[in-house]
Amino acid sequence: MVLRLILLFTIFPLVELYLLIQIGRHLGALTTVMIVFITGVAGALLAKSQGLSVYKNIKKDLQEGFIPTESLLDGLFILIAGALLITPGLITDIVGFFLMIPLFRRYLKIQLAKKFHQKYKIKKTYFSQDL
Protein backbone atom coordinates (compact mmCIF):
# COMPACT_ATOMS: atom_id res chain seq x y z
CA MET A 1 0.00 0.00 0.00
CA VAL A 2 2.83 2.38 0.86
CA LEU A 3 4.50 1.61 -2.46
CA ARG A 4 1.30 2.51 -4.33
CA LEU A 5 1.09 5.82 -2.47
CA ILE A 6 4.73 6.59 -3.27
CA LEU A 7 4.05 5.87 -6.94
CA LEU A 8 0.87 7.92 -6.92
CA PHE A 9 2.28 11.01 -5.23
CA THR A 10 5.86 11.11 -6.50
CA ILE A 11 6.52 9.19 -9.68
CA PHE A 12 3.18 9.85 -11.38
CA PRO A 13 3.41 13.67 -11.01
CA LEU A 14 7.00 13.54 -12.28
CA VAL A 15 5.88 11.65 -15.39
CA GLU A 16 3.10 14.20 -15.91
CA LEU A 17 5.57 17.06 -15.52
CA TYR A 18 8.00 15.44 -17.93
CA LEU A 19 5.25 15.06 -20.56
CA LEU A 20 4.20 18.69 -20.14
CA ILE A 21 7.80 19.83 -20.54
CA GLN A 22 8.23 17.74 -23.68
CA ILE A 23 5.01 19.10 -25.17
CA GLY A 24 6.12 22.59 -24.22
CA ARG A 25 9.34 22.06 -26.12
CA HIS A 26 7.51 20.99 -29.26
CA LEU A 27 4.47 23.27 -29.17
CA GLY A 28 5.70 26.14 -27.05
CA ALA A 29 4.98 27.12 -23.46
CA LEU A 30 1.92 29.27 -24.19
CA THR A 31 0.26 26.55 -26.30
CA THR A 32 0.91 23.96 -23.61
CA VAL A 33 -0.54 26.21 -20.90
CA MET A 34 -3.59 26.85 -23.10
CA ILE A 35 -4.10 23.10 -23.64
CA VAL A 36 -4.00 22.53 -19.89
CA PHE A 37 -6.38 25.45 -19.30
CA ILE A 38 -8.85 24.36 -22.00
CA THR A 39 -8.96 20.75 -20.81
CA GLY A 40 -9.54 22.00 -17.27
CA VAL A 41 -12.46 24.22 -18.31
CA ALA A 42 -13.91 21.57 -20.62
CA GLY A 43 -13.59 18.98 -17.88
CA ALA A 44 -15.35 21.18 -15.34
CA LEU A 45 -18.20 21.85 -17.78
CA LEU A 46 -18.52 18.17 -18.68
CA ALA A 47 -18.47 17.12 -15.05
CA LYS A 48 -21.15 19.68 -14.23
CA SER A 49 -23.49 18.65 -17.04
CA GLN A 50 -23.06 14.91 -16.51
CA GLY A 51 -23.23 15.34 -12.75
CA LEU A 52 -26.57 17.13 -13.04
CA SER A 53 -27.86 14.35 -15.28
CA VAL A 54 -26.81 11.71 -12.75
CA TYR A 55 -28.36 13.77 -9.95
CA LYS A 56 -31.69 13.75 -11.82
CA ASN A 57 -31.43 9.98 -12.27
CA ILE A 58 -30.73 9.50 -8.56
CA LYS A 59 -33.66 11.71 -7.64
CA LYS A 60 -35.96 9.81 -10.05
CA ASP A 61 -34.85 6.41 -8.72
CA LEU A 62 -35.42 7.49 -5.12
CA GLN A 63 -38.89 8.83 -5.95
CA GLU A 64 -39.74 5.49 -7.58
CA GLY A 65 -38.47 3.61 -4.52
CA PHE A 66 -35.30 2.17 -6.04
CA ILE A 67 -31.82 2.27 -4.55
CA PRO A 68 -29.80 4.29 -7.10
CA THR A 69 -26.70 2.09 -6.97
CA GLU A 70 -25.70 2.46 -10.62
CA SER A 71 -26.32 6.21 -10.65
CA LEU A 72 -24.31 6.66 -7.46
CA LEU A 73 -21.37 4.84 -9.04
CA ASP A 74 -21.75 7.04 -12.13
CA GLY A 75 -21.67 10.07 -9.87
CA LEU A 76 -18.51 8.82 -8.17
CA PHE A 77 -16.79 8.22 -11.50
CA ILE A 78 -17.84 11.66 -12.75
CA LEU A 79 -16.50 13.26 -9.57
CA ILE A 80 -13.18 11.48 -10.03
CA ALA A 81 -13.15 12.42 -13.72
CA GLY A 82 -13.78 16.08 -12.89
CA ALA A 83 -10.93 16.09 -10.39
CA LEU A 84 -8.61 14.47 -12.92
CA LEU A 85 -9.59 16.90 -15.67
CA ILE A 86 -8.91 20.01 -13.62
CA THR A 87 -5.55 18.57 -12.53
CA PRO A 88 -2.82 19.71 -14.92
CA GLY A 89 -1.42 16.84 -16.94
CA LEU A 90 -2.06 14.75 -20.01
CA ILE A 91 -2.43 11.33 -18.44
CA THR A 92 -4.95 12.62 -15.92
CA ASP A 93 -6.86 14.34 -18.74
CA ILE A 94 -7.02 11.17 -20.82
CA VAL A 95 -8.23 9.09 -17.86
CA GLY A 96 -10.68 11.85 -16.90
CA PHE A 97 -12.17 12.02 -20.39
CA PHE A 98 -12.51 8.25 -20.50
CA LEU A 99 -14.40 8.34 -17.19
CA MET A 100 -16.83 10.81 -18.75
CA ILE A 101 -17.85 8.23 -21.38
CA PRO A 102 -20.96 6.35 -20.15
CA LEU A 103 -19.98 3.15 -21.98
CA PHE A 104 -16.57 3.14 -20.29
CA ARG A 105 -18.20 3.74 -16.88
CA ARG A 106 -20.52 0.81 -17.56
CA TYR A 107 -17.49 -1.39 -18.28
CA LEU A 108 -15.85 -0.24 -15.02
CA LYS A 109 -19.00 -0.97 -13.03
CA ILE A 110 -19.13 -4.50 -14.42
CA GLN A 111 -15.45 -5.01 -13.59
CA LEU A 112 -16.02 -3.74 -10.04
CA ALA A 113 -18.95 -6.12 -9.63
CA LYS A 114 -16.77 -9.02 -10.78
CA LYS A 115 -14.09 -8.09 -8.25
CA PHE A 116 -16.63 -7.93 -5.43
CA HIS A 117 -18.08 -11.27 -6.51
CA GLN A 118 -14.65 -12.88 -6.39
CA LYS A 119 -13.50 -11.23 -3.19
CA TYR A 120 -16.67 -11.57 -1.11
CA LYS A 121 -18.25 -14.62 -2.81
CA ILE A 122 -21.44 -12.68 -3.58
CA LYS A 123 -23.96 -14.77 -5.49
CA LYS A 124 -26.11 -12.13 -7.18
CA THR A 125 -26.02 -8.36 -7.60
CA TYR A 126 -27.45 -5.76 -9.91
CA PHE A 127 -24.81 -6.52 -12.54
CA SER A 128 -25.03 -10.33 -12.29
CA GLN A 129 -26.69 -10.62 -15.68
CA ASP A 130 -23.57 -9.03 -17.26
CA LEU A 131 -21.10 -11.42 -15.64
Side-chain angles (χ1 to χ4, degrees), residues 73 76-77 106-118 127 131:
L73 283 173
L76 175 65
F77 288 139
R106 176 85 176 140
Y107 170 78
L108 287 179
K109 288 184 278 189
I110 291 169
Q111 294 307 310
L112 277 173
K114 284 181 182 180
K115 273 196 166 197
F116 278 108
H117 281 221
Q118 291 170 355
F127 298 107
L131 303 177

Side-chain angles (χ1 to χ4, degrees), residues 12 18 24 26 39 58 65 71 79 81 83 91 94 105 110 121 124:
F12 187 75
Y18 175 78
H26 293 289
T39 57
I58 290 171
S71 294
L79 177 68
I91 299 170
I94 291 168
R105 289 195 308 260
I110 291 169
K121 312 284 190 269
K124 186 175 180 182

Side-chain angles (χ1 to χ4, degrees), residues 12 81 84-85 90-100 104:
F12 187 75
L84 290 173
L85 286 167
L90 296 176
I91 299 170
T92 54
D93 288 346
I94 291 168
V95 173
F97 279 120
F98 268 107
L99 285 173
M100 289 292 182
F104 185 72

Side-chain angles (χ1 to χ4, degrees), residues 33-105:
V33 170
M34 290 306 296
I35 289 171
V36 169
F37 177 75
I38 289 169
T39 57
V41 170
L45 293 174
L46 268 173
K48 181 180 178 182
S49 68
Q50 287 199 14
L52 288 173
S53 173
V54 167
Y55 174 73
K56 289 176 186 175
N57 289 342
I58 290 171
K59 196 172 176 181
K60 182 183 131 214
D61 284 348
L62 288 173
Q63 287 173 346
E64 294 175 359
F66 297 113
I67 298 173
T69 310
E70 189 170 354
S71 294
L72 287 171
L73 283 173
D74 279 332
L76 175 65
F77 288 139
I78 290 169
L79 177 68
I80 293 168
L84 290 173
L85 286 167
I86 62 172
T87 302
L90 296 176
I91 299 170
T92 54
D93 288 346
I94 291 168
V95 173
F97 279 120
F98 268 107
L99 285 173
M100 289 292 182
I101 301 170
L103 205 57
F104 185 72
R105 289 195 308 260

